Every structure is written in structure tokens, then in C-alpha cells.
Amino acid sequence: NIAMGLGYAYVSSILSGEDRDGNVLRGALSTGFRSKDFSVFAGIGGRYSTLVRGEEDTEDNLGSDDIEFFTLDAGLMAEFSGVFSLGLVGRNLIDTKNLQEAPRTIGVGIGGQFKEFSVSADLNVDLQSEEEAVLAYAVGAQLLVQNMVVLRVGYNGGGLTKTNYMSAGPAYVSKLVGADLAFRQSIDGASETSFSLAVKVFMP
């Protein structure tokens, strides 16, 4: 079996104090094999981005701040006895020449599912943003209660900012709606706290 998808996003944001406006088009293909004791899945995705950074182009600027690139991501995941899973992913495999927007990275993750309790950990390696590889790591766990309420806790650190965070939050899921509430707190001494809320509606 083959699954495929297309997606489009309009980008309007500020990164490192600089305006970013543009378009991102994504497409992906995936396939896999599943059995009782072993399953394997593979996928590949492409991304075409056009972004304008800073002010609009002028005759003096001549579009030097514009970004246009195409790149590929690929992933592979194996599952053992429906309990343990192992994943490997490569991002921006085609060099975009833009380290801020799309540096080349590789990642590996491992997870375990034990009835209503699950735990996972992953490691991401940024190969291009700095002269030496930059490591980012995370671990998380969640507990499903009565097939409707999910309790989550997590930790992540490293990366370009070298900041460590703790996060936690509950979620509610039914056949019609879902809601996720979460907070994240820096544990490096700085007072940095963020909250997020996501609401989902499922079509019948």
C-alpha cells in the first residue's frame, strides 16, 4: 500500500528579528509492511520554499534577501511485536545553501508501548548550522486514562540555544473533539515559561 499527501502553507513570521514572508509546498509518499511480530515503514517527502526576508525588494536590493530552494526528507521506522519501535530520519538531504531555514540534520528515536503507558526518546544531530555537530535530545512519557484522558511529561535540551526545558500537560480525546493543554518551563535559571492550547474537531 502507498500513502501520499500534499500540503501548502503561507509563512508570515519573524525569525531572529527579521521578517519572513512566502510560500511552502510539501508532498510526500510512504509505504510499509506489517505483521504480528515485525513491521517496517518508509517515507520520503519533498519541500519547495520561496521566502522573502526583510523589507520588500527595491531596485537597490535586487532580491538578494529572497530564498528559493527544494529539498528532500526521508524516514524509516521499524516496530517489534507492537511494543518497541525504532526510527531514523534525514532532513534536508538536498543542500539548500541556507543554514538558517533548512540545515541538514539526522535523527534517531526509540519508543515503547506498554498497554496504557508509553515512553519515547530521540536524538537530533544538526550537521550544518555550526562548525561542529549540534545535538538536541528529548525524552517523554504519557499515560492514557479511560481511553479519553492523556497525561504527558517531557524533557528536552541541547540544540543551538543550549537550553533545557521541562514540559507537561493533559489532553482529552473523544470521537468528536480533542483538546491539548501544555506548559514548558526553562530549568536553566532563566524565567522562561510558555503555554499552548490546541483544539481538534474530527469529521464523522
Side-chain angles (χ1 to χ4, degrees), residues 31-127:
T31 187
F33 165 80
R34 180 183 292 276
S35 69
K36 181 178 179 180
D37 298 322
F38 175 75
S39 302
V40 61
F41 310 95
I44 186 169
R47 174 161 58 109
Y48 174 71
S49 297
T50 58
L51 298 174
V52 176
R53 298 186 301 178
E55 299 296 331
E56 294 184 0
D57 294 342
T58 64
E59 293 182 358
D60 295 330
N61 193 3
L62 297 179
S64 60
D65 286 335
D66 291 359
I67 298 172
E68 182 177 5
F69 64 81
F70 174 79
T71 190
L72 290 174
D73 304 330
L76 182 67
M77 187 178 76
E79 186 179 277
F80 305 91
S81 301
V83 177
F84 296 102
S85 58
L86 178 67
L88 177 67
V89 63
R91 304 180 186 90
N92 304 312
L93 299 178
I94 297 178
D95 193 355
T96 66
K97 308 300 183 183
N98 189 288
L99 305 186
Q100 186 180 38
E101 297 290 341
R104 182 174 297 156
T105 65
I106 58 174
V108 61
I110 187 171
Q113 179 76 40
F114 311 95
K115 295 184 178 180
E116 290 81 14
F117 177 76
S118 60
V119 61
S120 62
D122 61 69
L123 174 68
N124 188 73
V125 185
D126 186 336
L127 301 174

Side-chain angles (χ1 to χ4, degrees), residues 149-160:
V149 177
V150 183
L151 304 177
R152 300 188 178 105
V153 63
Y155 163 83
N156 70 282
L160 294 174

Side-chain angles (χ1 to χ4, degrees), residues 6 8 63-64 73 75-76 83 107 119 135 138-139 159 165 169 177 191-192:
L6 288 173
Y8 167 79
S64 60
D73 304 330
L76 182 67
V83 177
V119 61
L135 304 182
V139 61
Y165 296 95
V177 297
S191 179
E192 182 181 346

